[in-house]
Amino acid sequence: MAGSKYYAVRRGRCVGIYDNWNDCKRQVDGFSGCQYKSFSALKEAQDYVAQGTQDSQAVCGKQDAPAAADSYKNFSDVKPETFLQQDVQETQATNKKQGLYYLEFDGASKGNPGKSGAGAVLRNPDFSVACKIKEGVGLATNNVAEYRALIRGLKVCLSKGIDCIHVQGDSNLVVMQIQDKWNTRSDNIADLSKEAKELKSKFREFHIDHVLREFNSQADALANEAIYLPDGEWILS
């Protein structure tokens, strides 16, 4: 398997090892209780997946497919393009029918507080990129930049008539506060959280998940580019 990283899914739509994030993402996005992790060594990825195959529900997310477990024993032979194509197509068709889009957001701050930027990626139901967003945040903390990224991303979604969104970001603080699981401690963050929740309420369907930083690389790159924009200036591409 080419590449220096291996993405292992041991609980998702289809268990396996993938050589790129997009293939891995298709198996875990919106899947309740998903388990996945990246590794630099193939053997480590194989061991991680193997630990989960004892649970029959971990194989392709189905309880009635015990025979499928045998086909995953040699994880180095996993070829997602051969046995996952139908599953991916079905997922994309369902997303399109439901009008489900994906929003990835991230914030960056050089100094925390320091010069900051916000970035977001909006994806179509088939996971392709619909648009990229970046906004200058000025002198701020990373948490402020994270919230600004989420808020700008949600505003763009609503402006495009999108009312069904699956959001992901690597800020556990933002994700937990938006779900009302954590309280806000500063007035500045409280105001941003309130604005984000007001935007959230305008969606017919809204779901937000925390992901590891390495799975949020495109939004992170945009946020770092946005550091050099004036506060409040934003670019949609």
Side-chain angles (χ1 to χ4, degrees):
M1 188 176 290
S4 59
K5 274 195 176 181
Y6 301 91
Y7 298 91
V9 177
R10 71 179 182 189
R11 178 182 286 274
R13 293 186 179 87
C14 274
V15 170
I17 299 172
Y18 305 86
D19 62 0
N20 65 86
W21 165 236
N22 285 335
D23 285 336
C24 173
K25 179 181 175 71
R26 293 185 181 101
Q27 309 317 314
V28 300
D29 246 339
F31 189 95
S32 179
C34 62
Q35 296 178 6
Y36 58 97
K37 193 175 181 180
S38 70
F39 298 89
S40 57
L42 177 59
K43 181 62 167 59
E44 293 177 352
Q46 293 172 345
D47 291 343
Y48 177 81
V49 176
Q51 292 171 7
T53 57
Q54 297 177 357
D55 183 352
S56 62
Q57 295 184 27
V59 179
C60 292
K62 298 176 182 178
Q63 298 183 27
D64 59 349
D70 293 335
S71 66
Y72 292 90
K73 287 183 178 179
N74 187 358
F75 296 108
S76 62
D77 293 334
V78 170
K79 294 182 175 61
E81 67 275 11
T82 59
F83 59 80
L84 296 182
Q85 185 175 7
Q86 182 177 356
D87 176 77
V88 171
Q89 290 175 344
E90 289 176 354
T91 300
Q92 292 175 349
T94 300
N95 289 350
K96 186 175 182 179
K97 183 178 181 180
Q98 296 176 342
L100 177 61
Y101 286 75
Y102 295 85
L103 180 68
E104 302 164 9
F105 73 95
D106 201 5
S109 178
K110 300 298 184 183
N112 200 30
K115 291 184 65 176
S116 303
V121 179
L122 176 62
R123 295 186 181 276
N124 293 307
D126 65 356
F127 306 110
S128 63
V129 175
C131 64
K132 298 177 181 179
I133 309 156
K134 52 187 178 182
E135 179 180 8
V137 179
L139 183 64
T141 64
N142 190 68
N143 289 334
V144 169
E146 294 276 3
Y147 261 114
R148 289 277 294 270
L150 173 60
I151 289 169
R152 178 57 63 190
L154 294 180
K155 286 181 176 179
V156 169
C157 290
L158 292 169
S159 72
K160 291 180 175 291
I162 296 170
D163 66 353
C164 188
I165 193 73
H166 186 129
V167 182
Q168 70 173 45
D170 57 43
S171 170
N172 197 39
L173 179 139
V174 172
V175 172
M176 296 298 279
Q177 288 181 346
I178 291 299
Q179 298 180 92
D180 291 318
K181 294 181 179 180
W182 286 5
N183 294 324
T184 55
R185 296 182 178 180
S186 71
D187 292 339
N188 192 21
I189 293 296
D191 289 342
L192 292 169
S193 181
K194 180 181 178 181
E195 182 178 1
K197 289 177 184 177
E198 288 175 349
L199 292 169
K200 167 187 170 181
S201 68
K202 296 180 180 181
F203 289 85
R204 173 172 56 89
E205 181 177 333
F206 181 96
H207 184 77
I208 188 168
D209 277 327
H210 175 259
V211 296
L212 298 177
R213 184 177 301 276
E214 60 198 271
F215 297 141
N216 208 35
S217 58
Q218 284 190 276
D220 175 69
L222 290 167
N224 278 282
E225 292 174 9
I227 287 174
Y228 304 101
L229 294 175
D231 185 9
E233 180 177 326
W234 63 283
I235 299 174
L236 181 67
S237 60

